[in-house]
Amino acid sequence: MKKYLLYLLFLFSVSTFAQVKGRIVSPNGEPVPFASVVQSGTYNGTSSNEDGYYTLSLSAKGRHTIIFRSIGYKTKEVSVDISKFPHTLNVTLQEESYALDELVITNKDDRARMIISEAIANREKNSAKTAKFEADFYSRGTFELKDVPDKILGQEIGDIGGSIDTTGSGIIYLSETISRVQSQKPDKIREVVVASKVSGEDNGFSYNSAETAEFDFYENFLPFEVRVVSPIADNAFNYYDYKLESAFYDSEQLISKIKVSPKKKNEAAVKGYIYIVDETWELYATDFILKGSQIEQPLLDSLNIRQNFGYNAKEKLWTKNVQTLDFNAGLFGVGLTGRFSYVYSNFKFDPAFDKRTFGPEVQFVETDANKKPNTYWNTMRPIPLTPEERNDYIRKDKLQEQRKSPTYLDSIDHERNRFKWTAPILGYTYHNSEGNWDIKYTGIATRLAFNTVQAYWLAPGFHFTKYRPEKNTYTTFGTDLNYGFAEQRFRATGTFSHKFNNFSKRIVTVTGGSSIEQFNPEKPINKIVNSISTLFFRDNYAKFYDNAFIKVAYEEEVVNGIQLSGSVEYARRHALYNNTNFSTLKDLYKPYLSNNPQLPFDNETPAFLKHNLMKASVQARFSFGQKYRTRPDGREIITNPDYPRLYLKYEKGFASSIKDYNFDHLSTRITYTLDVGNKGETGMAVRAGKFFNSENIAFVDHRHFNGNQTHIGKSERYLNVFNFLPYYTHSTNDQYFEGHLEHNFKGYITNKLPLISELNYHLVLGAHALSTPEHKPYMEFTAGFDNLGWGKFRFLRIDYIRSYESGFLSDGVIFGLTFLDILE
């Protein structure tokens, strides 16, 4: 009863506007959610909400015909004579009476295949009917948590910003947008957001967009992490079984309801129903479910895609006007449900777009989009809020005002700034919410490790950061300390960094001090893996040198798709030696290899001579086809998977205290990911470079390649690493070329194999090559399985590797632990 009283209050609170509103119910009084409501003969439409309530805006009083349509119910046309606004029109929809038995059908499966065959044959023609359009677009997104405990993994959860109640449930995210969309298939779109609203954030902007809402079943694939085959794709019969369940008439046209079932359990394919219009073979509606495991989203339990199409009798055209995405997810016993609702209305088909209509900017949010008053939303929002959503706005708006007060901010800071006994180990952050700054201490839990130069070492850090939330910028400075117990040496570096804006994202950073560094600046040897391999197996792979330096770095995206970065550094470098022979279990008296990568059994000769050097570098990154969204608070980059990325870099060492250590180094790198539909994706990376005037440069400035001798992989894809190459055997100061190729089938093959298909493992094949003048070409070939794990925890990978250099070299297994870099 309270819910409906809230609705009455809502209806009376809105300003008078040209609106028809009411409720859509079934014969037994149950609400009909997300029904399509369209003004006859137009593309002016809306949708009912979860409780059946709707609001339709009309341009004038007088006589109108309104069409109500929902899956499972008979379409109803109601003529009304409106003399004043708002006009209340409640509607009862009758359940659809299916007429399958009246049709002369000898085999329902054959009939279903015939209908699907016609839909496939006419797919491109029907898609072309709506290929170019303008439309009004509305979206709403809601996330809700259920059964949240007081603690997860020992950490208190709290009320998540006032989102959850004492039962552990509540809306944690609610946002809306109103925009105008221009679209032209296959991939051109521009959206202008005129209104944006986020619950509890008066300065927030919704991330909803028309581009991410586009699920077009007229295309061969749906755009998920693993491409999902459409039920009317060219090769759909290879993936689906079809059964005609029923048929009915709408707008004097026969509609067939066909059950769609994947042939394979874990195939990237939908399950549910497709409704097809007879004779034209257009889509009438879709109602499909996907499992998270099918699209490489293990935390997602299920996703329901539901679309309603409206019919324009004047233009004889079926167009999508309502779409909902419902999902269920969960982890650690906490349930997460969500819904995105979309309404397309006021279509204008085949408009005259000029050359400037489409470009890299796919969404533009107007400056005052988040300043629209409630009266605007109450009149322009096509789907009425539910009582829960309306309460969430009211409650969080009040909380926001309270939480802006200095008293409240002080109380929150007082609580979370409490110093706990675990702080020295896990770290500690002191917050000042009113001043938008914090001081962070990095605990020793992630800054404790072991190597043969320092033995055990600690590296706590202290950083102060001042934030500017309205501009999404910051200024930070701090220090990172380092102490090696065997070396008995203390080092410290200081950092200052300032982000100037959130559009070009210009950042200037100044660092300096004394540090201990790996010879390879890309740090291929994770400190955790190195500590374990050294302490337990006496394999001290990581090699270090001492670096006293001061460095100024700059980065900025000067124009869309072109990012420039550069740095100037003065460094004083000298070689280091092993200072410990300690290990825990194995061969306690066996000596470690030396810290000289070139002379592993020589503990006396330094890897290079002590010297001073100036270094300067300039790098350009070209992201071809890059798109972006422009918001008042910044620009969001959208990489274009159809194009490669190109990197060019020039590095120069000069003014060295040892003349032979000066050098010039020119390099390039290209990365590209080729999407091959539901058959997975191919990743490629090629790098080449050339040194000049560098015959006798210091070994630290050679080009070092990312090898691996630990049998542990730490990245999701192996496109920048050789898994069996020793870390420094192929380092060069001459020319070089390396290439990596890897194809992840993402279940395309394994989901078709008995027994293995139940595991949902993904076959991965790869090849890697390296060429330098000093060595014969080195090659690796790999075959393995990705997406390994248990239930929702899928972060493991295993590969079999064979390496070659003038013939077979070695083989073995690499265990991929993709979480290691997170712990670094």
Side-chain angles (χ1 to χ4, degrees):
M1 186 64 182
K2 290 181 178 180
K3 174 186 285 190
Y4 302 114
L5 286 175
L6 282 170
Y7 268 122
L8 289 174
L9 290 172
F10 166 71
L11 291 173
F12 282 114
S13 68
V14 301
S15 61
T16 300
F17 194 67
Q19 291 179 330
V20 176
K21 57 186 62 179
R23 193 176 189 222
I24 308 170
V25 297
S26 67
N28 60 6
E30 292 296 318
V32 178
F34 301 106
S36 169
V37 183
V38 179
Q39 181 185 2
S40 179
T42 74
Y43 295 108
N44 178 30
T46 185
S47 167
S48 59
N49 67 10
E50 292 93 324
D51 297 317
Y53 288 91
Y54 75 94
T55 300
L56 176 66
S57 296
L58 299 177
S59 59
K61 299 173 185 177
R63 192 160 189 82
H64 300 275
T65 299
I66 301 175
I67 303 173
F68 299 84
R69 180 179 283 111
S70 182
I71 298 175
Y73 295 90
K74 289 184 177 181
T75 296
K76 186 170 185 176
E77 296 188 13
V78 180
S79 294
V80 291
D81 195 353
I82 301 174
S83 58
K84 65 176 183 177
F85 291 113
H87 181 88
T88 300
L89 177 60
N90 296 318
V91 174
T92 299
L93 296 184
Q94 300 298 319
E95 293 182 358
E96 184 60 69
S97 57
Y98 299 113
L100 190 59
D101 294 337
E102 299 176 8
L103 302 174
V104 180
I105 299 175
T106 57
N107 188 307
K108 296 178 183 178
D109 290 344
D110 286 348
R111 172 69 179 175
R113 290 179 65 88
M114 184 277 291
I115 294 171
I116 294 297
S117 295
E118 291 290 351
I120 294 173
N122 288 274
R123 179 175 62 83
E124 292 186 3
K125 182 180 72 173
N126 287 329
S127 177
K129 294 178 182 179
T130 58
K132 186 178 180 183
F133 69 85
E134 292 181 3
D136 291 334
F137 178 73
Y138 168 80
S139 65
R140 182 189 303 168
T142 306
F143 294 170
E144 186 172 356
L145 285 177
K146 297 182 182 296
D147 304 320
V148 179
D150 294 334
K151 294 183 178 181
I152 295 180
L153 299 178
Q155 298 295 313
E156 293 187 3
I157 303 303
D159 65 356
I160 312 182
S163 296
I164 59 175
D165 56 26
T166 55
T167 67
S169 301
I171 296 175
I172 60 169
Y173 177 77
L174 169 61
S175 73
E176 301 174 272
T177 62
I178 294 175
S179 58
R180 185 68 179 171
V181 176
Q182 298 170 304
S183 178
Q184 183 173 321
K185 292 183 180 180
D187 58 2
K188 294 179 179 179
I189 190 169
R190 188 170 191 269
E191 177 184 12
V192 177
V193 177
V194 298
S196 179
K197 187 176 179 69
V198 181
S199 182
E201 298 181 30
D202 56 6
N203 288 319
F205 293 94
S206 172
Y207 281 95
N208 302 348
S209 73
E211 182 190 37
T212 57
E214 185 56 34
F215 293 94
D216 188 353
F217 286 93
Y218 284 124
E219 297 294 325
N220 279 318
F221 301 103
L222 301 182
F224 291 100
E225 183 71 22
V226 178
R227 296 302 190 205
V228 175
V229 180
S230 168
I232 56 172
D234 290 336
N235 59 347
F237 285 112
N238 295 332
Y239 299 92
Y240 293 104
D241 291 320
Y242 302 92
K243 180 179 180 181
L244 178 62
E245 285 212 344
S246 58
F248 56 93
Y249 285 92
D250 187 340
S251 301
E252 300 182 350
Q253 299 179 75
L254 181 65
I255 312 299
S256 298
K257 177 185 179 182
I258 298 175
K259 185 177 182 180
V260 178
S261 303
K263 289 181 178 291
K264 302 292 183 180
K265 179 179 179 181
N266 287 317
E267 197 79 74
V270 296
K271 178 181 180 181
Y273 295 92
I274 189 169
Y275 298 74
I276 295 177
V277 182
D278 202 47
E279 295 187 0
T280 65
W281 317 112
E282 293 170 274
L283 292 177
Y284 170 88
T286 65
D287 189 2
F288 292 121
I289 290 179
L290 272 169
K291 294 187 298 182
S293 59
Q294 294 173 286
I295 54 176
E296 211 171 79
Q297 299 293 331
L299 298 182
L300 180 69
D301 294 324
S302 65
L303 173 67
N304 179 214
I305 305 173
R306 186 182 173 112
Q307 297 175 336
N308 288 332
F309 288 68
Y311 183 65
N312 188 305
K314 289 183 179 179
E315 300 188 8
K316 300 185 182 303
L317 187 63
W318 290 91
T319 57
K320 180 176 66 178
N321 64 329
V322 177
Q323 175 179 282
T324 58
L325 304 178
D326 291 276
F327 68 87
N328 292 281
L331 188 65
F332 300 122
V334 179
L336 173 66
T337 61
R339 170 174 288 143
F340 283 90
S341 308
Y342 309 101
V343 175
Y344 300 82
S345 60
N346 299 318
F347 283 99
K348 180 182 178 182
F349 288 103
D350 201 26
F353 295 139
D354 59 39
K355 295 181 179 180
R356 296 174 296 176
T357 300
F358 301 108
E361 184 181 65
V362 298
Q363 186 187 58
F364 175 81
V365 182
E366 293 184 348
T367 304
D368 62 346
N370 64 348
K371 306 301 181 185
K372 297 293 191 292
N374 288 334
T375 52
Y376 173 90
W377 285 99
N378 291 339
T379 54
M380 299 299 294
R381 177 187 289 120
I383 306 178
L385 297 173
T386 65
E388 292 81 6
E389 291 167 340
R390 181 168 173 77
N391 277 337
D392 190 72
Y393 274 131
I394 294 172
R395 183 168 53 85
K396 287 182 179 174
D397 285 348
K398 290 181 179 179
L399 284 174
Q400 184 180 220
E401 290 300 318
Q402 295 174 4
R403 290 175 175 179
K404 287 180 179 179
S405 69
T407 302
Y408 178 83
L409 294 175
D410 287 345
S411 66
I412 291 296
D413 288 344
H414 177 75
E415 179 64 28
R416 62 179 179 172
N417 288 341
R418 287 183 179 177
F419 192 86
K420 300 178 181 179
W421 67 270
T422 56
I425 301 173
L426 301 178
Y428 173 76
T429 302
Y430 180 88
H431 301 270
N432 187 304
S433 300
E434 185 178 5
N436 291 310
W437 58 265
D438 61 42
I439 299 174
K440 183 177 182 179
Y441 156 70
T442 305
I444 62 175
T446 58
R447 298 290 185 92
L448 171 65
F450 184 91
N451 61 56
T452 54
V453 172
Q454 299 175 289
Y456 285 103
W457 57 268
L458 297 173
F462 301 87
H463 290 83
F464 169 88
T465 303
K466 170 69 176 179
Y467 303 95
R468 296 168 185 81
E470 71 283 357
K471 295 184 178 180
N472 274 340
T473 61
Y474 63 82
T475 301
T476 184
F477 60 86
T479 182
D480 290 287
L481 310 177
N482 182 290
Y483 182 77
F485 287 88
E487 198 182 21
Q488 295 185 356
R489 175 162 179 188
F490 174 82
R491 295 179 175 88
T493 59
T495 300
F496 170 84
S497 183
H498 178 70
K499 182 179 180 182
F500 288 83
N501 65 71
N502 199 40
F503 291 90
S504 67
K505 296 179 173 58
R506 182 190 305 149
I507 300 174
V508 172
T509 304
V510 180
T511 55
S514 177
S515 64
I516 181 170
E517 304 288 349
Q518 287 192 42
F519 278 80
N520 187 340
E522 295 185 15
K523 300 180 180 179
I525 312 171
N526 180 283
K527 69 173 183 291
I528 298 174
V529 174
N530 183 68
S531 298
I532 294 174
S533 67
T534 303
L535 283 169
F536 293 92
F537 303 100
R538 297 190 71 83
D539 293 324
N540 57 319
Y541 295 121
K543 310 300 178 183
F544 302 92
Y545 70 94
D546 186 86
N547 188 37
F549 70 100
I550 183 168
K551 179 178 181 180
V552 179
Y554 152 87
E555 62 179 82
E556 181 175 17
E557 187 160 40
V558 290
V559 297
N560 178 57
I562 302 179
Q563 184 190 57
L564 294 182
S565 59
S567 65
V568 178
E569 176 183 6
Y570 168 79
R572 186 183 72 245
R573 306 182 295 192
H574 66 82
L576 296 173
Y577 302 87
N578 289 342
N579 290 293
T580 182
N581 199 41
F582 173 79
S583 66
T584 56
L585 298 174
K586 184 180 179 181
D587 299 330
L588 295 180
Y589 301 103
K590 172 187 172 182
Y592 283 114
L593 297 179
S594 77
N595 190 53
N596 186 334
Q598 297 175 292
L599 301 171
F601 301 103
D602 185 342
N603 289 288
E604 303 296 329
T605 304
F608 57 88
L609 300 177
K610 183 178 179 179
H611 64 281
N612 305 329
L613 179 75
M614 292 290 295
K615 286 180 65 175
S617 69
V618 178
Q619 177 174 285
R621 184 191 71 193
F622 300 88
S623 300
F624 299 104
Q626 178 175 280
K627 301 178 180 181
Y628 61 89
R629 300 185 181 98
T630 302
R631 298 151 54 99
D633 60 353
R635 177 180 291 177
E636 178 186 346
I637 297 303
I638 306 170
T639 57
N640 192 331
D642 296 331
Y643 295 88
R645 269 190 173 183
L646 170 65
Y647 301 80
L648 296 176
K649 185 177 182 180
Y650 173 69
E651 185 179 28
K652 183 176 183 62
F654 60 99
S656 174
S657 57
I658 299 177
K659 184 178 180 180
D660 285 347
Y661 283 6
N662 295 327
F663 68 92
D664 296 272
H665 178 200
L666 183 64
S667 64
T668 183
R669 184 172 184 240
I670 301 175
T671 62
Y672 181 53
T673 299
L674 175 64
D675 185 345
V676 288
N678 67 319
K679 298 176 181 61
E681 64 179 23
T682 300
M684 294 170 275
V686 174
R687 183 172 354 210
K690 168 70 176 176
F691 284 85
F692 302 91
N693 309 313
S694 59
E695 183 176 354
N696 296 307
I697 64 172
F699 186 71
V700 66
D701 291 315
H702 282 52
R703 167 62 182 146
H704 306 292
F705 303 98
N706 295 332
N708 189 358
Q709 294 173 261
T710 65
H711 294 274
I712 299 295
K714 59 184 180 68
S715 57
E716 292 185 3
R717 297 197 297 179
Y718 300 144
L719 294 177
N720 192 33
V721 63
F722 297 94
N723 274 308
F724 271 11
L725 179 73
Y727 293 104
Y728 294 106
T729 56
H730 289 63
S731 298
T732 184
N733 60 342
D734 201 340
Q735 61 190 18
Y736 57 89
F737 172 87
E738 64 173 303
H740 305 270
L741 180 70
E742 185 175 276
H743 184 79
N744 189 328
F745 288 90
K746 295 198 171 183
Y748 176 71
I749 292 179
T750 51
N751 287 344
K752 295 175 174 59
L753 301 177
L755 299 179
I756 293 180
S757 63
E758 299 295 321
L759 301 174
N760 199 26
Y761 294 167
H762 297 169
L763 177 66
V764 184
L765 301 178
H768 311 264
L770 172 64
S771 175
T772 62
E774 302 89 350
H775 296 83
K776 297 290 186 181
Y778 174 86
M779 292 180 290
E780 290 180 355
F781 299 95
T782 71
F785 290 106
D786 195 10
N787 204 44
L788 274 63
W790 303 268
K792 297 184 178 183
F793 297 93
R794 300 250 173 192
F795 47 76
L796 304 177
R797 172 175 171 171
I798 187 169
D799 289 84
Y800 172 70
I801 317 289
R802 290 181 68 87
S803 62
Y804 296 83
E805 189 172 21
S806 296
F808 173 74
L809 197 62
S810 65
D811 66 345
V813 174
I814 291 290
F815 298 92
L817 306 176
T818 58
F819 58 85
L820 284 177
D821 275 347
I822 300 175
L823 301 177
E824 179 69 40

